Amino acid sequence: MVVRQVPHLPEENIIIEPFGRDTAAAIGLAATVLGRRNPHEVMIVLPADHYITNTTRFQEALMSAVAVARRGNEIVTLGVTPHRPETGYGYIHRGEMLDNFGGIPVYRVRRFLEKPDYERALEFVTNGNFLWNSGIFVWRIDLILRLIEEHLPRLAAGLKKIAEGLATGHYLKVLKKVYFELPKISVDYGILE
């Protein structure tokens, strides 16, 4: 289906999970495959359920995020200014300003807070230092793999087996066997929090 919808995309650039194991495993798989090409390259994670009205500004924000992530030690996430209290979204507690790229401010994250109740969401919106977590992440491949190894060792062990399958030409066979056993956890809980 992806090939039909995006026929100009080379098939080797399509990475498919054999089973849904949440975002940490999906991101780890993509980083493992992409890391064989260039482990120091920047990777952007984009959920498929966003509606972007200002595509030019969005592209500028992504390019700023890539510039920050290219340094190698920063996880970058795009926050959305909330316009109402929302209990269905996670929040980012914004810290001090670190940089500015073409008018796009870059802040340190104090902490991530998953889906609050209404009263807490109202406090966040009123405070002004909280953003909705867009789920859009930008980082260097080697950094996210290192963080997976540090915080999710069981996932890291499975990804190493998949990497061995890539190296030996048995990728699909190893992937189907190993992927189902990977822990089912979001990158938000497993790495960011």
Side-chain angles (χ1 to χ4, degrees):
M1 184 183 307
V2 174
V3 173
R4 276 197 322 262
Q5 291 178 356
V6 193
H8 60 279
L9 184 68
E11 274 195 56
E12 65 269 13
N13 289 357
I14 300 170
I15 304 165
I16 299 173
E17 296 180 277
F19 314 97
R21 302 305 296 162
D22 216 325
T23 57
I27 288 167
L29 175 62
T32 298
V33 173
L34 295 173
R36 288 185 45 82
R37 297 178 192 174
N38 182 350
H40 304 295
E41 192 52 75
V42 172
M43 173 180 170
I44 302 173
V45 176
L46 297 157
D49 60 351
H50 286 63
Y51 179 72
I52 311 294
T53 56
N54 187 338
T55 56
T56 300
R57 186 71 171 161
F58 178 65
Q59 290 167 348
E60 291 168 353
L62 281 180
M63 295 312 297
S64 297
V66 167
V68 173
R70 198 169 296 288
R71 299 175 188 170
N73 290 318
E74 305 286 359
I75 290 178
V76 184
T77 184
L78 274 61
V80 177
T81 303
H83 53 84
R84 67 177 186 277
E86 177 57 62
T87 60
Y89 299 155
Y91 285 76
I92 301 166
H93 187 181
R94 183 175 67 191
E96 73 275 7
M97 188 169 164
L98 296 175
D99 219 327
N100 192 307
F101 286 88
I104 297 174
V106 178
Y107 297 92
R108 182 163 308 283
V109 172
R110 286 190 182 163
R111 62 188 166 144
F112 288 88
L113 300 121
E114 270 305 302
K115 303 173 181 75
D117 61 26
Y118 181 82
E119 290 75 25
R120 193 119 192 250
L122 184 59
E123 286 176 32
F124 292 166
V125 172
T126 305
N127 177 289
N129 282 323
F130 290 84
L131 304 168
W132 287 334
N133 181 0
S134 69
I136 297 172
F137 303 110
V138 185
W139 45 52
R140 271 191 20 184
I141 294 166
D142 56 342
L143 173 63
I144 191 60
L145 289 174
R146 188 168 66 244
L147 291 171
I148 288 171
E149 191 163 336
E150 180 180 335
H151 298 287
L152 299 169
R154 204 169 118 225
L155 174 58
L159 294 174
K160 284 180 183 175
K161 290 177 185 175
I162 292 168
E164 290 168 9
L166 277 164
T168 61
H170 297 95
Y171 168 68
L172 291 177
K173 181 180 176 185
V174 173
L175 178 67
K176 286 181 182 176
K177 180 179 178 190
V178 172
Y179 202 81
F180 186 75
E181 301 296 323
L182 297 180
K184 190 171 184 172
I185 186 169
S186 74
V187 74
D188 302 72
Y189 285 122
I191 302 294
L192 301 176
E193 287 191 5

mmCIF file of all heavy atoms in Angstrom, residues 12-42:
data_model
loop_
_atom_site.group_PDB
_atom_site.id
_atom_site.type_symbol
_atom_site.label_atom_id
_atom_site.label_comp_id
_atom_site.label_asym_id
_atom_site.label_seq_id
_atom_site.Cartn_x
_atom_site.Cartn_y
_atom_site.Cartn_z
ATOM 1 N N GLU A 12 13.598 0.128 -0.259
ATOM 2 C CA GLU A 12 14.493 -0.104 0.883
ATOM 3 C C GLU A 12 14.330 0.977 1.957
ATOM 4 O O GLU A 12 14.847 0.837 3.061
ATOM 5 C CB GLU A 12 15.964 -0.204 0.445
ATOM 6 C CG GLU A 12 16.541 1.064 -0.140
ATOM 7 C CD GLU A 12 16.393 1.164 -1.649
ATOM 8 O OE1 GLU A 12 15.630 0.378 -2.257
ATOM 9 O OE2 GLU A 12 17.069 2.026 -2.224
ATOM 10 N N ASN A 13 13.594 2.030 1.647
ATOM 11 C CA ASN A 13 13.320 3.082 2.634
ATOM 12 C C ASN A 13 12.012 2.848 3.386
ATOM 13 O O ASN A 13 11.631 3.661 4.216
ATOM 14 C CB ASN A 13 13.266 4.451 1.959
ATOM 15 C CG ASN A 13 14.633 4.925 1.508
ATOM 16 O OD1 ASN A 13 15.644 4.266 1.741
ATOM 17 N ND2 ASN A 13 14.681 6.056 0.865
ATOM 18 N N ILE A 14 11.355 1.760 3.100
ATOM 19 C CA ILE A 14 10.102 1.438 3.783
ATOM 20 C C ILE A 14 10.408 0.379 4.843
ATOM 21 O O ILE A 14 10.861 -0.720 4.530
ATOM 22 C CB ILE A 14 9.042 0.925 2.787
ATOM 23 C CG1 ILE A 14 8.766 1.998 1.734
ATOM 24 C CG2 ILE A 14 7.766 0.525 3.526
ATOM 25 C CD1 ILE A 14 7.924 1.514 0.574
ATOM 26 N N ILE A 15 10.187 0.738 6.095
ATOM 27 C CA ILE A 15 10.441 -0.156 7.227
ATOM 28 C C ILE A 15 9.091 -0.466 7.856
ATOM 29 O O ILE A 15 8.378 0.446 8.277
ATOM 30 C CB ILE A 15 11.381 0.514 8.255
ATOM 31 C CG1 ILE A 15 12.682 0.952 7.583
ATOM 32 C CG2 ILE A 15 11.648 -0.423 9.431
ATOM 33 C CD1 ILE A 15 13.501 1.924 8.401
ATOM 34 N N ILE A 16 8.764 -1.736 7.922
ATOM 35 C CA ILE A 16 7.443 -2.137 8.398
ATOM 36 C C ILE A 16 7.581 -3.016 9.635
ATOM 37 O O ILE A 16 8.347 -3.974 9.652
ATOM 38 C CB ILE A 16 6.676 -2.899 7.293
ATOM 39 C CG1 ILE A 16 6.487 -1.973 6.088
ATOM 40 C CG2 ILE A 16 5.335 -3.405 7.812
ATOM 41 C CD1 ILE A 16 5.905 -2.649 4.869
ATOM 42 N N GLU A 17 6.817 -2.676 10.677
ATOM 43 C CA GLU A 17 6.750 -3.514 11.873
ATOM 44 C C GLU A 17 5.910 -4.754 11.558
ATOM 45 O O GLU A 17 4.813 -4.611 11.003
ATOM 46 C CB GLU A 17 6.020 -2.820 13.002
ATOM 47 C CG GLU A 17 6.587 -1.591 13.574
ATOM 48 C CD GLU A 17 5.687 -1.086 14.689
ATOM 49 O OE1 GLU A 17 4.699 -0.395 14.367
ATOM 50 O OE2 GLU A 17 5.956 -1.387 15.856
ATOM 51 N N PRO A 18 6.357 -5.938 11.927
ATOM 52 C CA PRO A 18 5.512 -7.108 11.707
ATOM 53 C C PRO A 18 4.346 -7.193 12.693
ATOM 54 O O PRO A 18 3.341 -7.828 12.424
ATOM 55 C CB PRO A 18 6.471 -8.288 11.896
ATOM 56 C CG PRO A 18 7.584 -7.760 12.722
ATOM 57 C CD PRO A 18 7.680 -6.287 12.439
ATOM 58 N N PHE A 19 4.487 -6.527 13.856
ATOM 59 C CA PHE A 19 3.456 -6.481 14.891
ATOM 60 C C PHE A 19 3.531 -5.107 15.542
ATOM 61 O O PHE A 19 4.605 -4.535 15.630
ATOM 62 C CB PHE A 19 3.706 -7.520 15.999
ATOM 63 C CG PHE A 19 4.062 -8.881 15.506
ATOM 64 C CD1 PHE A 19 5.388 -9.292 15.422
ATOM 65 C CD2 PHE A 19 3.078 -9.773 15.133
ATOM 66 C CE1 PHE A 19 5.726 -10.553 14.974
ATOM 67 C CE2 PHE A 19 3.402 -11.039 14.674
ATOM 68 C CZ PHE A 19 4.727 -11.428 14.593
ATOM 69 N N GLY A 20 2.417 -4.615 16.045
ATOM 70 C CA GLY A 20 2.442 -3.357 16.778
ATOM 71 C C GLY A 20 3.011 -3.568 18.169
ATOM 72 O O GLY A 20 2.470 -4.356 18.934
ATOM 73 N N ARG A 21 4.111 -2.882 18.489
ATOM 74 C CA ARG A 21 4.734 -3.002 19.814
ATOM 75 C C ARG A 21 4.906 -1.642 20.472
ATOM 76 O O ARG A 21 5.742 -1.483 21.345
ATOM 77 C CB ARG A 21 6.092 -3.707 19.733
ATOM 78 C CG ARG A 21 6.085 -5.088 19.148
ATOM 79 C CD ARG A 21 5.144 -6.052 19.809
ATOM 80 N NE ARG A 21 5.489 -6.331 21.195
ATOM 81 C CZ ARG A 21 4.653 -6.863 22.059
ATOM 82 N NH1 ARG A 21 3.427 -7.165 21.702
ATOM 83 N NH2 ARG A 21 5.028 -7.095 23.287
ATOM 84 N N ASP A 22 4.189 -0.633 20.057
ATOM 85 C CA ASP A 22 4.225 0.729 20.579
ATOM 86 C C ASP A 22 5.442 1.477 20.024
ATOM 87 O O ASP A 22 6.242 0.936 19.272
ATOM 88 C CB ASP A 22 4.180 0.771 22.102
ATOM 89 C CG ASP A 22 3.368 1.959 22.634
ATOM 90 O OD1 ASP A 22 3.399 3.033 22.003
ATOM 91 O OD2 ASP A 22 2.706 1.816 23.673
ATOM 92 N N THR A 23 5.566 2.741 20.413
ATOM 93 C CA THR A 23 6.508 3.631 19.723
ATOM 94 C C THR A 23 7.974 3.368 20.024
ATOM 95 O O THR A 23 8.822 3.607 19.165
ATOM 96 C CB THR A 23 6.183 5.101 20.007
ATOM 97 O OG1 THR A 23 6.198 5.330 21.425
ATOM 98 C CG2 THR A 23 4.844 5.488 19.414
ATOM 99 N N ALA A 24 8.330 2.883 21.204
ATOM 100 C CA ALA A 24 9.750 2.641 21.492
ATOM 101 C C ALA A 24 10.310 1.569 20.556
ATOM 102 O O ALA A 24 11.407 1.722 20.009
ATOM 103 C CB ALA A 24 9.961 2.262 22.953
ATOM 104 N N ALA A 25 9.578 0.488 20.360
ATOM 105 C CA ALA A 25 10.044 -0.580 19.461
ATOM 106 C C ALA A 25 10.067 -0.101 18.009
ATOM 107 O O ALA A 25 11.032 -0.379 17.274
ATOM 108 C CB ALA A 25 9.155 -1.814 19.602
ATOM 109 N N ALA A 26 9.032 0.613 17.578
ATOM 110 C CA ALA A 26 8.984 1.103 16.196
ATOM 111 C C ALA A 26 10.146 2.057 15.917
ATOM 112 O O ALA A 26 10.822 1.958 14.886
ATOM 113 C CB ALA A 26 7.650 1.788 15.911
ATOM 114 N N ILE A 27 10.393 2.963 16.840
ATOM 115 C CA ILE A 27 11.492 3.916 16.688
ATOM 116 C C ILE A 27 12.830 3.192 16.750
ATOM 117 O O ILE A 27 13.744 3.483 15.969
ATOM 118 C CB ILE A 27 11.377 5.023 17.761
ATOM 119 C CG1 ILE A 27 10.199 5.932 17.412
ATOM 120 C CG2 ILE A 27 12.677 5.802 17.903
ATOM 121 C CD1 ILE A 27 9.774 6.861 18.540
ATOM 122 N N GLY A 28 12.945 2.246 17.662
ATOM 123 C CA GLY A 28 14.184 1.465 17.764
ATOM 124 C C GLY A 28 14.468 0.682 16.489
ATOM 125 O O GLY A 28 15.608 0.610 16.032
ATOM 126 N N LEU A 29 13.432 0.094 15.900
ATOM 127 C CA LEU A 29 13.600 -0.634 14.641
ATOM 128 C C LEU A 29 14.070 0.303 13.540
ATOM 129 O O LEU A 29 15.031 0.004 12.820
ATOM 130 C CB LEU A 29 12.291 -1.318 14.238
ATOM 131 C CG LEU A 29 12.291 -2.022 12.879
ATOM 132 C CD1 LEU A 29 13.316 -3.155 12.837
ATOM 133 C CD2 LEU A 29 10.892 -2.540 12.559
ATOM 134 N N ALA A 30 13.406 1.446 13.403
ATOM 135 C CA ALA A 30 13.802 2.409 12.369
ATOM 136 C C ALA A 30 15.236 2.880 12.596
ATOM 137 O O ALA A 30 16.030 2.955 11.650
ATOM 138 C CB ALA A 30 12.846 3.599 12.358
ATOM 139 N N ALA A 31 15.597 3.173 13.840
ATOM 140 C CA ALA A 31 16.962 3.623 14.146
ATOM 141 C C ALA A 31 17.981 2.535 13.845
ATOM 142 O O ALA A 31 19.084 2.821 13.346
ATOM 143 C CB ALA A 31 17.055 4.065 15.600
ATOM 144 N N THR A 32 17.629 1.290 14.104
ATOM 145 C CA THR A 32 18.534 0.173 13.827
ATOM 146 C C THR A 32 18.788 0.048 12.331
ATOM 147 O O THR A 32 19.930 -0.096 11.890
ATOM 148 C CB THR A 32 17.952 -1.138 14.400
ATOM 149 O OG1 THR A 32 17.847 -0.996 15.825
ATOM 150 C CG2 THR A 32 18.813 -2.332 14.059
ATOM 151 N N VAL A 33 17.728 0.109 11.546
ATOM 152 C CA VAL A 33 17.872 -0.004 10.084
ATOM 153 C C VAL A 33 18.615 1.212 9.526
ATOM 154 O O VAL A 33 19.567 1.079 8.744
ATOM 155 C CB VAL A 33 16.492 -0.186 9.406
ATOM 156 C CG1 VAL A 33 16.614 -0.123 7.889
ATOM 157 C CG2 VAL A 33 15.851 -1.508 9.845
ATOM 158 N N LEU A 34 18.203 2.409 9.935
ATOM 159 C CA LEU A 34 18.843 3.632 9.435
ATOM 160 C C LEU A 34 20.282 3.755 9.917
ATOM 161 O O LEU A 34 21.144 4.285 9.213
ATOM 162 C CB LEU A 34 18.040 4.864 9.869
ATOM 163 C CG LEU A 34 16.646 4.989 9.284
ATOM 164 C CD1 LEU A 34 15.905 6.157 9.933
ATOM 165 C CD2 LEU A 34 16.689 5.139 7.779
ATOM 166 N N GLY A 35 20.541 3.273 11.116
ATOM 167 C CA GLY A 35 21.885 3.352 11.682
ATOM 168 C C GLY A 35 22.929 2.589 10.900
ATOM 169 O O GLY A 35 24.112 2.919 10.950
ATOM 170 N N ARG A 36 22.513 1.593 10.162
ATOM 171 C CA ARG A 36 23.472 0.855 9.313
ATOM 172 C C ARG A 36 23.973 1.739 8.175
ATOM 173 O O ARG A 36 25.067 1.558 7.676
ATOM 174 C CB ARG A 36 22.835 -0.404 8.738
ATOM 175 C CG ARG A 36 22.625 -1.484 9.789
ATOM 176 C CD ARG A 36 22.107 -2.777 9.220
ATOM 177 N NE ARG A 36 22.745 -3.243 8.007
ATOM 178 C CZ ARG A 36 23.895 -3.923 7.949
ATOM 179 N NH1 ARG A 36 24.551 -4.186 9.051
ATOM 180 N NH2 ARG A 36 24.359 -4.344 6.791
ATOM 181 N N ARG A 37 23.152 2.710 7.787
ATOM 182 C CA ARG A 37 23.557 3.625 6.709
ATOM 183 C C ARG A 37 24.463 4.728 7.245
ATOM 184 O O ARG A 37 25.480 5.049 6.645
ATOM 185 C CB ARG A 37 22.333 4.242 6.046
ATOM 186 C CG ARG A 37 21.447 3.219 5.370
ATOM 187 C CD ARG A 37 20.218 3.869 4.779
ATOM 188 N NE ARG A 37 19.244 2.857 4.396
ATOM 189 C CZ ARG A 37 18.045 3.127 3.957
ATOM 190 N NH1 ARG A 37 17.646 4.378 3.826
ATOM 191 N NH2 ARG A 37 17.225 2.166 3.636
ATOM 192 N N ASN A 38 24.048 5.357 8.355
ATOM 193 C CA ASN A 38 24.843 6.426 8.959
ATOM 194 C C ASN A 38 24.341 6.639 10.388
ATOM 195 O O ASN A 38 23.340 7.315 10.590
ATOM 196 C CB ASN A 38 24.739 7.724 8.160
ATOM 197 C CG ASN A 38 25.602 8.821 8.744
ATOM 198 O OD1 ASN A 38 26.143 8.695 9.845
ATOM 199 N ND2 ASN A 38 25.730 9.912 8.029
ATOM 200 N N PRO A 39 25.048 6.103 11.387
ATOM 201 C CA PRO A 39 24.575 6.213 12.769
ATOM 202 C C PRO A 39 24.616 7.634 13.329
ATOM 203 O O PRO A 39 24.011 7.903 14.359
ATOM 204 C CB PRO A 39 25.520 5.300 13.543
ATOM 205 C CG PRO A 39 26.745 5.218 12.704
ATOM 206 C CD PRO A 39 26.291 5.343 11.281
ATOM 207 N N HIS A 40 25.307 8.544 12.660
ATOM 208 C CA HIS A 40 25.415 9.920 13.158
ATOM 209 C C HIS A 40 24.431 10.866 12.473
ATOM 210 O O HIS A 40 24.445 12.069 12.731
ATOM 211 C CB HIS A 40 26.845 10.428 12.981
ATOM 212 C CG HIS A 40 27.844 9.546 13.644
ATOM 213 N ND1 HIS A 40 27.899 9.374 15.009
ATOM 214 C CD2 HIS A 40 28.806 8.748 13.128
ATOM 215 C CE1 HIS A 40 28.857 8.518 15.305
ATOM 216 N NE2 HIS A 40 29.414 8.122 14.188
ATOM 217 N N GLU A 41 23.570 10.314 11.629
ATOM 218 C CA GLU A 41 22.587 11.141 10.939
ATOM 219 C C GLU A 41 21.418 11.437 11.880
ATOM 220 O O GLU A 41 21.203 10.761 12.868
ATOM 221 C CB GLU A 41 22.090 10.425 9.673
ATOM 222 C CG GLU A 41 21.284 11.292 8.742
ATOM 223 C CD GLU A 41 21.965 12.602 8.368
ATOM 224 O OE1 GLU A 41 22.905 12.564 7.561
ATOM 225 O OE2 GLU A 41 21.530 13.642 8.881
ATOM 226 N N VAL A 42 20.668 12.468 11.545
ATOM 227 C CA VAL A 42 19.514 12.878 12.332
ATOM 228 C C VAL A 42 18.274 12.150 11.821
ATOM 229 O O VAL A 42 18.086 11.994 10.617
ATOM 230 C CB VAL A 42 19.325 14.411 12.252
ATOM 231 C CG1 VAL A 42 18.020 14.842 12.905
ATOM 232 C CG2 VAL A 42 20.509 15.125 12.907
#
